Amino acid sequence: MGLPKNYRKNLNITPPKVGFAARQQILDNIANNGTYLPKGILHEDMDRDFIEYVKNSIDLTLGGKEVPVIFLSIQRWAEFAKTWKFSDENKNIKIPFITIVRKPDPQVGTNYAGAFNIPGKPTFTYMKIPTWDGNIKSYDVYQIPQPVSIDMNYEVRLFCNKMRDLNIFNKKMLESFSAGEKYLRINGHPIPLLLDSIGDESVINNVDEKRYYVQLYSIKMLGYLLDENEFKVKPAISRGIQFYEISENINLAPYQISKQEKEGLIELNIQFAPGVNMFNLTVDIDATYEEIEVENINTYIVLLNGVPVTLPYDVKYGDVLTITINKTIVTNSAYMTLKGKLK
C-alpha cells in the first residue's frame, strides 16, 4: 500500500531557538569545551576553515571524481606543479583542479562598519564564575581583549577544459552566496564571507594549443583576531560577612562648659564624633548665647524646649537644648562652640 499524498516521514518537533535563546546558543558554541573562555582565532584558523569550506561545502565532483583543492602561495606554484600527486607521468598537472591563494596583505577589518574602537588594549569581563575553596566563597573573573578586525582576501580558481564544468562550479558558488554572504563557524565564531567578484583568466594564444578555462572567484573574509594568550583569569573580591551591633540608645555628643564669671562670659564646646549627629543638654546655667562657631558642619538645627531658635536666644535653668547637625564629611568628627553671656 502506497503512502498517502503529502505524507511527511521526518517531523522536526524541536522548534528553532529565537531571541535571547538563539544568542545564548551562539555564545555556547563560541565557548571552548571544558573552559569558560572562548576559543582563539588567528590567521591559520581562518585559512584552515576556508579550505575546508571549499572542499566540503562546494564539493565539486566532475565525471564521478572529486576535483582536488590546492592551497598555494604564488611563490610555491612553480615548485608544486612538478611535485604534486595529481600529476601525470610527465609531471604535468591534470585538469580539472581548484586552487586557493590567500593574498599576503591582510587589510584593516571592515566588519565594524567604520566604527572606532576603544584605544589601547583593554580587557573586558566575559564571564564571572563562582568558586569555593572550602572556606571562602568567591568569583573568578574571566576577561578577554577586544578582537582585532581583519579582512582576508582569497582567490579561488577553477582550471578545467569544459564549459560545462565551469557552469557546474559557477552554480555551486552562486548558490552558496545566494543570501549575499556565507558564514563560517571558525572555532565557534561566526565569520562572514562576501563574494566580491567573478572573473575570467582563460588564456588562448594559439588555436592549436590545448584549450583550458580559468575562472576566478574573489572572496573576502570579514574576520577578527583573538589571541588566547591575552586572556586573563583573576579572582574577584571575596565575599565577606559583616556583623553590626544595633542599640536603641542614641549616642549623644560630649560637651564641656567654660565660665568666666569675672567677665560674665560662657562657652559651650560640643564634639560630634563619627556617627554622632545629635546633642542634648538640660540647662542648669542661665545665659544668653550670641555667637556660634562650627567645623565640618554643613547645616544644623537648634531647638529650645522643642521649638527652633536662632541667635541670640536665652536659656534658663531646666530648659532642654537640642542640636542636630549634618556633617560635610560624614566620616570625620565635627565641632561646635556656642559663646554667650551669663545672666
Side-chain angles (χ1 to χ4, degrees):
M1 179 178 177
L3 295 175
K5 293 183 178 180
N6 300 325
Y7 177 79
R8 300 182 63 181
K9 295 182 179 180
N10 298 318
L11 295 177
N12 186 9
I13 61 174
T14 303
K17 296 182 179 180
V18 296
F20 176 79
R23 295 192 295 270
Q24 184 62 44
Q25 186 179 31
I26 294 175
L27 289 177
D28 294 339
N29 292 335
I30 293 176
N32 192 1
N33 294 332
T35 70
Y36 296 100
L37 287 168
K39 303 171 187 175
I41 177 173
L42 298 174
H43 296 79
E44 53 268 24
D45 299 313
M46 290 182 275
D47 288 341
R48 179 198 65 229
D49 281 37
F50 185 84
I51 297 171
E52 291 299 321
Y53 157 71
V54 176
K55 285 184 177 180
N56 300 327
S57 295
I58 303 302
D59 188 24
L60 183 61
T61 302
L62 300 175
K65 296 182 179 180
E66 183 178 352
V67 177
V69 178
I70 315 159
F71 182 71
L72 294 172
S73 64
I74 297 176
Q75 293 80 2
R76 288 188 55 201
W77 174 253
E79 175 187 353
F80 191 83
K82 299 298 181 181
T83 58
W84 76 313
K85 63 181 180 179
F86 297 102
S87 57
D88 57 17
E89 58 183 7
N90 297 321
K91 298 299 182 180
N92 295 319
I93 300 174
K94 293 189 296 185
I95 292 178
F97 61 90
I98 298 172
T99 64
I100 301 174
V101 176
R102 196 252 289 173
K103 291 185 177 180
D105 54 346
Q107 302 296 313
V108 176
T110 56
N111 56 1
Y112 291 147
F116 291 95
N117 292 336
I118 299 175
K121 195 68 173 178
T123 56
F124 301 90
T125 299
Y126 179 76
M127 190 174 292
K128 295 180 180 179
I129 304 300
T131 60
W132 172 256
D133 63 357
N135 296 312
I136 300 176
K137 184 176 182 180
S138 181
Y139 283 90
D140 282 344
V141 179
Y142 290 71
Q143 294 183 328
I144 63 174
Q146 182 169 343
V148 178
S149 178
I150 183 175
D151 283 356
M152 308 273 281
N153 295 287
Y154 294 89
E155 295 179 346
V156 179
R157 292 177 174 87
L158 171 64
F159 293 76
C160 64
N161 49 22
K162 295 180 182 179
M163 180 64 71
R164 182 172 60 252
D165 298 342
L166 282 183
N167 295 338
I168 296 174
F169 187 64
N170 183 265
K171 178 177 178 293
K172 285 181 172 287
M173 292 295 290
L174 293 180
E175 287 177 346
S176 181
F177 289 92
S178 60
E181 59 185 0
K182 170 70 176 179
Y183 275 86
L184 300 184
R185 288 283 181 179
I186 303 179
N187 290 346
H189 302 267
I191 303 297
L193 298 177
L194 299 178
L195 180 58
D196 274 352
S197 63
I198 302 175
D200 179 57
E201 294 185 348
S202 304
V203 178
I204 303 176
N205 295 326
N206 190 340
V207 294
D208 296 330
E209 294 179 352
K210 186 176 181 180
R211 180 179 299 180
Y212 66 94
Y213 300 97
V214 181
Q215 196 168 67
L216 167 65
Y217 296 83
S218 298
I219 300 175
K220 179 186 292 185
M221 178 184 291
L222 306 183
Y224 52 81
L225 302 176
L226 189 61
D227 192 351
E228 294 183 2
N229 294 325
E230 298 177 353
F231 295 171
K232 295 181 180 179
V233 179
K234 59 182 182 180
I237 299 175
S238 301
R239 177 178 294 180
I241 300 177
Q242 296 182 345
F243 296 93
Y244 295 91
E245 184 177 352
I246 300 175
S247 175
E248 296 181 356
N249 298 324
I250 299 176
N251 293 327
L252 300 178
Y255 67 94
Q256 182 179 7
I257 299 178
S258 300
K259 295 188 296 182
Q260 300 179 13
E261 295 184 358
K262 291 184 179 181
E263 291 81 4
L265 302 177
I266 186 173
E267 282 189 3
L268 175 59
N269 298 300
I270 309 169
Q271 177 183 357
F272 297 89
V276 178
N277 296 315
M278 182 177 291
F279 168 76
N280 199 3
L281 172 67
T282 300
V283 177
D284 57 0
I285 301 175
D286 296 346
T288 300
Y289 290 106
E290 301 174 340
E291 299 179 29
I292 186 170
E293 297 178 356
V294 297
E295 179 181 343
N296 193 31
I297 295 176
N298 188 17
T299 59
Y300 61 88
I301 297 176
V302 180
L303 301 178
L304 185 63
N305 298 322
V307 179
V309 294
T310 59
L311 295 174
Y313 53 85
D314 298 330
V315 296
K316 298 182 296 182
Y317 180 84
D319 289 344
V320 177
L321 182 64
T322 304
I323 301 175
T324 304
I325 68 166
N326 288 321
K327 297 179 181 179
T328 304
I329 304 176
V330 296
T331 57
N332 293 350
S333 297
Y335 304 90
M336 175 180 288
T337 301
L338 295 174
K339 297 181 180 181
K341 296 180 181 179
L342 295 171
K343 287 189 176 180

